[in-house]
């Protein structure tokens, strides 16, 4: 037999050993400075440093090509501060000193170190190298007592030391386990906390596959990218809050959502028809369980064609929307990126004719299978495609729909690689790149196109977008839910550190499917998960096809009663919650916080993954095991007041909390002020003004010299953009202890918006403190207060002092005498 050359095919000679040549930049040959930008010429590569301000610099490695300083869409157009940089050119180092950071470049190998203002070393990159296949890797010092946070949506505990992760947006139906390295979202921000609590952040702005390895080396961690450029931002602290707020200055913050978007949401895969949706809405109202939104999952569509309704299941969307409007219930429909290949379907036809779908280099459209069968995928990197897609949403907005749920936007494809072919070429507004280089941006760009489309169509109303996939900066356009978890107690527990790290990674508006998506929930799991979930920023109950029903009434009256109470609590706490959303929009700080953010010096909280803070003042300790009526709770420094019993506990200790099924342990920081509103069935439910008092709960106010507490509450109409035109109010409450009693004052610092209400109430939670009198206020009884009079009384059961006053423009103050 004759052999062809195939006989010597390389595949036949066993594994090939490739001697990988790893390159390094070599020694510094020359450098120049242009304002805030430094160009360093090494023997084999260039480094470019850009100082954005005195705390943040960008460092980009070029081993080929001409240095360009454009960024991905994650980074906001940069307003570079004028930074005065003192340069010291020493024999072995080039030092750039911003006053807050000193960057030392080692001339012999272009490694670098960062010192803080006091000259203390805070970071060191030892080695940066790359191989001919395009992988770049840098190694950083990892001292023994240091911890890691951030990295967005990852499984496992809060502290990421000892973990290794990949960023590659992936549709992971199962399993969500600590060993899973990549989930739906990629936020390549790592926060490194050193002993004593001082932090810096490194953001790698590369939307291809990237790796963060805090496991494989002792004493070092590494950050790698598989394609594209090594382009990092070093973000100085020293507080973790500084890092989060500077990172979000770079990649953006949430825009204040409409209040209905932070209510309770009910979803299922799927509510199958119009009748079922309306029944569901009526049941919520009949049962007086508050709810703002019902989601329409994929069955609402005509054979899963986006921008359609199934004519049999949903014959009359207008009629359905009209009745829902009466009930104060909103609809958020799912919109996936896959457009069914069907020449009869106008969206597909238009997409092909106008060239909106992703293509291979050779010009063929990329097709992949998703719910509708063979589908094409819009190229959201192209501005005109993004505009086209956004405009298609008039289909929904003309029905009064103001929120859209983006799913499967990793993009997920039912094939071996689970996504789009890597050699698809994205147009990228004239700078074509492969899908391999841009993969992690797909979901965020879809949400951007959606948000901007809605924004063009909804006039002065704030829209809402929910997304599964995303990249750094996604927070500007969408809230994020954590994908297909299961009704496992372990997944309930996993959601805490996952959403906490998302909050530290710039995504404060996030939450899991409450009750669990796949598998079957149980009465206890649903109770415990809802108790916890009402204190997560995003609060939606969602479950999969063929699983146990998990609407709040699915497990009988006892469970229903508990869920009604907790969901109601979220609505009563809406003013407090909304204030925290406003703070997140202004500062980037998370709504739901790990204790380490507020207590960085406390070694008990570096990896505390089963408790969290709502803002600064409320400690939530969910029960995440079946049949557990007790759990241990760690209280950090200060005094903490049991929300249920009023008992005071000194902090700095572990306590055993009693938690029968109807009670989730909650503690309020002594000195805190919690704003509570009326119980509504939906965020914008109109109430009689007299019922709509705003109550400030004052915890732990002391009639002692030196005691001081203050708080401030932001309010606006909760639905329009008028606040951007200056229509909002900012109400300040001040409490000061005196020997003779407690001085309480409030005033409006801004009041260009006035909530409809007549009264303010103040509740002093301080059992045993019974005032002799309150100057300027009459002592009355509960009934007289309920009738709308100004005055105060002591509630018999709790011993709390309740004051009711007119809500006056000018503010007022009182002396509450012992
Ligand atoms: C995906 C989503 C899930 C949704 C389902 C059907 O699995 O993650 O939330 O219900 O698709 O659309």
């Amino acid at each position: 037999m004759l052999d062809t050359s195939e006989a010597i095919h390389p595949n036949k000679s066993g594994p090939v050993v490739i001697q990988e040549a790893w390159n390094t930049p070599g020694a510094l040959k020359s450098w120049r400075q242009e304002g805030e930008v430094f160009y360093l010429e090494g023997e084999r590569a260039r480094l470019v440093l850009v100082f954005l301000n005195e705390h943040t610099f960008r460092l980009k490695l070029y081993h080929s090509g001409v240095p360009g300083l454009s960024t991905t869409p994650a980074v906001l157009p940069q307003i570079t501060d004028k930074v005065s940089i003192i340069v010291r050119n020493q024999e072995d180092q080039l030092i750039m000193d911003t006053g807050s950071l000193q960057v030392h470049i080692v001339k012999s190998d272009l490694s670098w170190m960062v010192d803080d203002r006091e000259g203390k070393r805070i970071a060191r990159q030892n080695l940066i190298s790359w191989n001919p296949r395009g992988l770049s890797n840098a190694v950083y010092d990892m001292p023994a007592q240091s911890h890691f946070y951030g990295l967005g949506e990852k499984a496992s505990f809060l502290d990421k030391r000892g973990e290794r992760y990949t960023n590659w947006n992936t549709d992971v139906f199962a399993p969500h386990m600590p060993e899973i390295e990549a989930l739906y979202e990629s936020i390549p921000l790592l926060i490194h906390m050193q002993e004593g609590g001082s932090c810096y952040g490194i953001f790698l702005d590369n939307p291809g596959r990237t790796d963060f390895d805090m496991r494989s080396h002792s004493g070092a961690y590494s950050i790698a990218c598989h394609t594209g450029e090594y382009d990092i931002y070093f973000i100085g602290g020293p507080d973790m809050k500084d890092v989060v707020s500077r990172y979000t200055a770079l990649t953006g913050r949430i825009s204040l959502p409409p209040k209905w978007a932070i209510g309770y949401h009910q979803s299922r895969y799927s509510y199958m028809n119009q009748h079922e949706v309306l029944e569901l809405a009526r049941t919520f109202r009949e049962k007086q369980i508050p709810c703002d939104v019902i989601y329409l999952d994929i069955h609402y569509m005509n054979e899963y064609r986006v921008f359609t309704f199934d004519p049999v299941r949903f014959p009359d969307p207008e009629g359905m929307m009209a009745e829902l409007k009466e009930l104060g219930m909103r609809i958020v429909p799912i919109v996936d990126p896959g457009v069914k290949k069907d020449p009869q379907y106008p969206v597909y036809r238009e997409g092909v004719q106008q060239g909106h779908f992703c293509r291979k280099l050779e010009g063929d459209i990329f097709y992949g299978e998703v719910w509708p069968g063979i589908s094409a995928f819009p190229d959201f990197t192209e501005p005109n495609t993004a505009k086209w897609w956004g405009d298609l949403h008039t289909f929904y907005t003309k029905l009064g729909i103001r929120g859209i749920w983006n799913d499967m936007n990793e993009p997920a494809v039912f094939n071996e690689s689970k996504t789009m072919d890597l050699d698809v070429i994205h147009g990228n507004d004239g700078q074509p790149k492969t899908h391999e280089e841009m993969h992690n941006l797909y979901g965020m760009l879809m949400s951007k196109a959606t948000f901007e489309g809605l924004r063009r169509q909804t006039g002065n109303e704030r829209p809402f977008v929910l997304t599964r996939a995303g990249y750094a900066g996604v927070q500007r356009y969408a809230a994020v839910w954590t994908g297909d978890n299961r009704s496992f107690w372990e997944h309930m527990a996993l959601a805490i550190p996952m959403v906490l790290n998302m909050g530290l990674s710039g995504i404060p508006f996030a939450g899991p499917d409450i009750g669990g998506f796949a598998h079957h929930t149980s009465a206890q799991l649903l109770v415990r998960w809802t108790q916890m979930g009402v204190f997560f920023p995003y609060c939606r109950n969602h479950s999969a096809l063929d699983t146990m029903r998990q609407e709040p009434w699915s497990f009988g009256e006892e469970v229903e009663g508990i869920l009604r109470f907790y969901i109601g609590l979220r609505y009563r706490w809406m003013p407090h919650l909304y204030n925290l959303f406003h703070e997140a929009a202004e500062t980037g700080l998370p709504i739901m916080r790990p204790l380490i953010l507020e207590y960085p010096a406390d070694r008990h909280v570096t990896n505390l993954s089963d408790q969290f803070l709502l803002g600064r003042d409320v400690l939530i300790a969910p029960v995440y095991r079946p049949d557990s009526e007790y759990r241990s709770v760690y209280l950090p420094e200060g005094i903490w007041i049991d929300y249920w019993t009023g008992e005071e506990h000194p902090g700095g200790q572990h306590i055993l909390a009693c938690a029968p099924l109807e009670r989730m342990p909650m503690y309020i920081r002594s000195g805190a002020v919690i704003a509570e509103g009326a119980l509504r069935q939906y965020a914008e439910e109109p109430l009689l003004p007299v019922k709509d008092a705003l109550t400030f709960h004052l915890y732990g106010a002391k009639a002692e010299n030196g005691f001081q507490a203050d708080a401030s509450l932001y309010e606006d109409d909760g639905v329009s953009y008028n606040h951007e035109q200056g229509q909002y109010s900012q109400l300040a409450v001040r409490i000061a202890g005196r020997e003779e009693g407690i001085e309480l004052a409030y005033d409006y610092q801004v009041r260009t918006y006035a909530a409809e209400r007549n009264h303010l109430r103040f509740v002093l939670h301080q059992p045993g403190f019974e005032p002799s009198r309150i100057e300027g206020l009459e002592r009355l009884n509960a009934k007289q207060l309920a009738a709308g009079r100004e005055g105060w009384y002591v509630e018999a059961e709790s011993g709390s002092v309740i004051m009711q006053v007119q809500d006056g423009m000018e503010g007022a103050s009182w002396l509450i005498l012992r």
Side-chain angles (χ1 to χ4, degrees):
M1 228 211 351
L2 214 66
D3 272 344
T4 67
S5 305
E6 204 194 348
I8 50 167
H9 193 291
N11 287 356
K12 298 203 169 165
S13 67
V16 184
V17 181
I18 296 177
Q19 295 291 330
E20 294 251 299
W22 283 86
N23 267 307
T24 52
L28 181 67
K29 287 196 310 189
S30 63
W31 63 278
R32 72 192 153 87
Q33 178 184 4
E34 285 174 22
E36 284 77 26
V37 187
F38 290 78
Y39 296 89
L40 313 183
E41 197 73 40
E43 287 168 312
R44 288 174 294 274
R46 286 193 188 102
L47 286 188
V48 179
L49 277 86
V50 184
F51 287 85
L52 306 184
N53 53 53
E54 60 182 280
H55 308 285
T56 307
F57 66 89
R58 177 181 181 190
L59 184 146
K60 198 165 175 181
L61 169 77
Y62 298 90
H63 39 80
S64 56
V66 188
L69 286 174
S70 61
T71 71
T72 74
V75 174
L76 292 171
Q78 281 162 35
I79 312 145
T80 310
D81 293 349
K82 211 85 224 83
V83 195
S84 61
I85 304 161
I86 299 169
V87 182
R88 290 197 291 279
N89 189 3
Q90 298 180 345
E91 199 184 324
D92 56 340
Q93 290 185 1
L94 183 65
I95 302 170
M96 302 145 191
D97 189 343
T98 68
S100 290
L101 299 177
Q102 278 176 29
V103 185
H104 299 244
I105 308 279
V106 178
K107 289 185 173 176
S108 59
D109 60 3
L110 287 180
S111 64
W112 50 270
M113 286 92 74
V114 181
D115 294 350
D116 69 10
R117 191 186 290 275
E118 277 77 47
K120 195 172 147 235
R121 177 109 334 148
I122 47 180
R124 179 193 173 103
Q125 187 198 77
N126 293 308
L127 178 72
I128 187 155
S129 56
W130 64 96
N131 73 9
R133 290 161 203 280
L135 183 78
S136 307
N137 186 51
V139 179
Y140 301 81
D141 273 7
M142 180 172 78
Q145 295 305 324
S146 70
H147 308 275
F148 294 95
Y149 306 97
L151 287 175
E153 184 190 62
K154 298 292 181 198
S156 88
F157 293 111
L158 185 70
D159 180 0
K160 299 306 186 192
R161 192 176 175 111
E163 305 289 352
R164 181 193 180 284
Y165 294 107
T166 289
N167 291 307
W168 183 257
N169 290 358
T170 313
D171 171 14
V172 185
F173 174 66
H176 291 197
M177 306 251 279
E179 73 201 82
I180 286 292
E181 294 195 346
L183 283 163
Y184 313 88
E185 296 259 329
S186 294
I187 317 296
L189 166 74
L190 187 69
I191 301 175
H192 189 191
M193 177 182 266
Q194 327 260 347
E195 201 170 5
S198 86
C199 292
Y200 69 86
I202 292 198
F203 167 49
L204 170 60
D205 187 18
N206 182 314
R209 186 184 288 275
T210 57
D211 301 323
F212 285 71
D213 186 351
M214 292 71 64
R215 176 191 295 152
S216 306
H217 315 281
S218 70
Y221 69 95
S222 65
I223 300 181
C225 56
H226 291 241
T227 54
E229 278 135 357
Y230 200 87
D231 188 2
I232 62 157
Y233 293 80
F234 181 95
I235 305 165
D239 291 349
M240 200 191 279
K241 286 186 178 177
D242 297 332
V243 175
V244 175
S245 117
R246 288 174 188 145
Y247 167 73
T248 53
L250 194 65
T251 61
R253 295 172 180 149
I254 58 166
S255 69
L256 193 59
K259 265 192 188 165
W260 59 265
I262 61 177
Y264 172 81
H265 296 186
Q266 183 66 47
S267 184
R268 182 161 175 93
Y269 170 29
S270 300
Y271 293 120
M272 290 294 184
N273 54 54
Q274 178 168 336
H275 173 74
E276 192 182 357
V277 170
L278 287 170
E279 257 319 291
L280 185 76
R282 288 183 208 119
T283 310
F284 271 103
R285 297 299 179 245
E286 273 156 27
K287 290 185 173 289
Q288 292 279 290
I289 300 173
C291 180
D292 264 284
V293 181
I294 294 174
Y295 284 66
L296 299 185
D297 207 325
I298 53 176
H299 289 93
Y300 81 86
M301 293 178 269
N302 182 1
E303 293 177 324
Y304 316 122
R305 289 173 184 84
V306 283
F307 310 103
T308 66
F309 276 100
D310 182 287
V312 179
R313 297 172 192 271
F314 289 83
D316 178 19
E318 286 84 6
M320 176 183 80
M321 290 303 295
E323 182 169 349
L324 290 172
K325 193 169 182 196
E326 285 287 296
L327 292 167
M329 194 72 88
R330 294 184 180 256
I331 285 290
V332 171
I334 197 166
V335 177
D336 294 347
V339 174
K340 187 177 176 65
K341 181 177 186 212
D342 166 9
Q344 307 279 355
Y345 166 37
V347 177
Y348 176 72
R349 231 177 23 220
E350 206 174 277
V352 174
Q353 284 163 351
Q354 299 179 5
H356 291 308
F357 295 125
C358 293
R359 289 168 186 273
K360 299 291 189 83
L361 181 64
E362 297 75 16
D364 306 334
I365 293 180
F366 166 78
Y367 291 101
E369 198 177 334
V370 267
W371 308 122
I374 301 297
S375 304
F377 298 80
D379 187 358
F380 297 110
T381 68
E382 290 286 37
N384 63 338
T385 299
K387 165 90 175 27
W388 170 69
W389 188 259
D391 289 348
L392 287 171
H393 288 77
T394 48
F395 177 79
Y396 302 107
T397 49
K398 68 178 197 271
L399 287 169
I401 288 172
R402 296 291 177 263
I404 296 291
W405 170 19
N406 285 162
D407 186 23
M408 305 290 277
N409 51 347
E410 294 71 29
V413 180
F414 303 151
N415 62 15
E416 218 173 285
S417 76
K418 289 177 154 229
T419 194
M420 188 175 278
D421 290 356
L422 301 186
D423 58 352
V424 159
I425 305 285
H426 293 291
N428 199 27
D429 202 11
Q431 306 219 289
K433 286 201 164 144
T434 61
H435 186 71
E436 186 175 15
E437 293 167 285
M438 299 197 80
H439 174 76
N440 291 335
L441 272 172
Y442 193 85
M444 157 159 150
L445 292 180
M446 180 187 186
S447 291
K448 177 174 191 276
T450 306
F451 181 78
E452 289 173 353
L454 296 178
R455 192 75 178 80
R456 289 193 295 275
Q457 292 152 34
T458 59
N460 196 24
E461 276 180 73
R462 297 175 218 167
F464 166 68
V465 178
L466 176 70
T467 185
R468 190 169 76 175
Y471 181 66
V474 66
Q475 64 271 11
R476 309 198 294 263
Y477 312 110
V480 175
W481 102 102
T482 58
D484 296 344
N485 62 6
R486 306 199 153 217
S487 299
F488 295 167
W489 289 93
E490 291 80 357
H491 279 192
M492 174 188 163
L494 185 85
I496 305 172
M498 184 182 279
V499 177
L500 288 174
N501 271 317
M502 289 169 85
L504 295 178
S505 313
I507 307 178
F509 196 4
D513 284 344
I514 292 173
F517 175 68
H519 195 57
H520 306 281
T521 202
S522 65
Q524 268 196 39
L525 180 60
L526 185 63
V527 167
R528 292 310 198 181
W529 205 324
T530 309
Q531 289 172 335
M532 170 178 102
V534 300
F535 293 103
F536 271 52
Y538 177 63
C539 178
R540 180 182 74 156
N541 171 318
H542 181 50
S543 55
L545 218 50
D546 300 327
T547 59
M548 291 284 289
R549 300 296 298 210
Q550 59 185 43
E551 290 78 18
W553 48 85
S554 304
F555 291 94
E557 274 178 24
E558 189 200 350
V559 169
E560 184 184 318
I562 300 174
L563 300 195
R564 177 184 294 107
F565 175 82
Y566 278 87
I567 295 170
L569 193 57
R570 182 176 179 95
Y571 278 81
R572 288 197 275 125
W573 278 37
M574 190 66 93
H576 186 70
L577 205 55
Y578 192 61
N579 194 44
L580 289 170
F581 269 85
H582 177 252
E583 189 184 347
E586 292 291 303
T587 65
L589 286 182
I591 293 156
M592 170 179 168
R593 301 179 186 173
L595 274 73
I596 188 76
L597 186 67
E598 298 290 344
Y599 302 93
D602 187 337
R603 69 182 178 83
H604 295 287
V605 302
T606 50
N607 201 7
L608 189 64
S609 303
D610 64 357
Q611 298 177 203
F612 61 92
L613 295 167
L614 181 67
R616 183 176 60 129
D617 295 327
V618 182
L619 189 149
I620 306 284
V623 175
Y624 54 95
R625 298 305 243 173
D627 297 332
S628 301
E629 297 216 335
Y630 291 88
R631 66 155 286 177
S632 109
V633 176
Y634 179 69
L635 300 173
E637 70 177 13
I639 293 171
W640 293 86
I641 299 167
D642 185 316
Y643 178 72
W644 306 106
T645 64
E647 196 185 338
E648 289 195 353
H649 299 274
Q653 59 161 342
H654 289 83
I655 60 167
L656 191 65
C658 177
L661 190 62
E662 70 283 359
R663 186 187 296 178
M664 177 184 63
M666 287 170 63
Y667 301 85
I668 316 280
R669 191 180 60 80
S670 178
V673 178
I674 306 288
E676 183 176 328
L679 173 63
R680 288 181 151 80
Q681 296 304 307
Y682 54 98
E684 290 159 72
E685 186 184 20
L687 297 176
L688 288 176
V690 65
K691 272 170 85 185
D692 197 14
L694 177 69
T695 303
F696 288 99
H697 293 273
L698 319 178
Y699 285 92
K702 300 256 179 302
E704 279 168 14
N705 275 333
F707 177 87
Q708 196 127 18
D710 41 18
S712 129
L713 184 75
Y714 171 88
E715 293 177 286
D716 63 23
D717 66 22
V719 69
S720 81
Y721 281 100
N722 293 350
H723 63 293
E724 291 187 351
Q725 260 50 64
Q727 289 181 35
Y728 62 91
S729 72
Q730 196 80 52
L731 192 164
V733 176
R734 277 179 281 273
I735 309 152
R738 307 248 175 281
E739 228 153 75
E740 64 274 26
I742 296 170
E743 201 176 278
L744 170 66
Y746 84 90
D747 72 304
Y748 284 96
Q749 287 156 344
V750 181
R751 206 191 190 191
T752 41
Y753 160 82
E756 270 185 44
R757 62 172 167 248
N758 296 333
H759 295 119
L760 293 178
R761 275 195 209 133
F762 297 92
V763 180
L764 246 69
H765 291 266
Q766 219 198 327
F769 174 78
E770 180 153 352
S772 55
R773 66 192 170 87
I774 298 181
E775 270 179 11
L777 216 56
E778 213 181 326
R779 185 167 189 157
L780 301 171
N781 60 36
K783 240 185 162 168
Q784 291 166 311
L785 252 63
R789 287 180 58 185
E790 276 196 301
W792 66 279
Y793 75 101
V794 178
E795 193 181 61
E797 207 184 318
S798 62
S800 304
V801 179
I802 303 187
M803 299 164 56
Q804 177 165 283
V805 300
Q806 293 293 327
D807 180 9
M809 181 80 185
E810 325 64 41
S813 70
W814 303 271
L815 191 58
I816 305 165
L817 292 159
R818 32 158 117 245

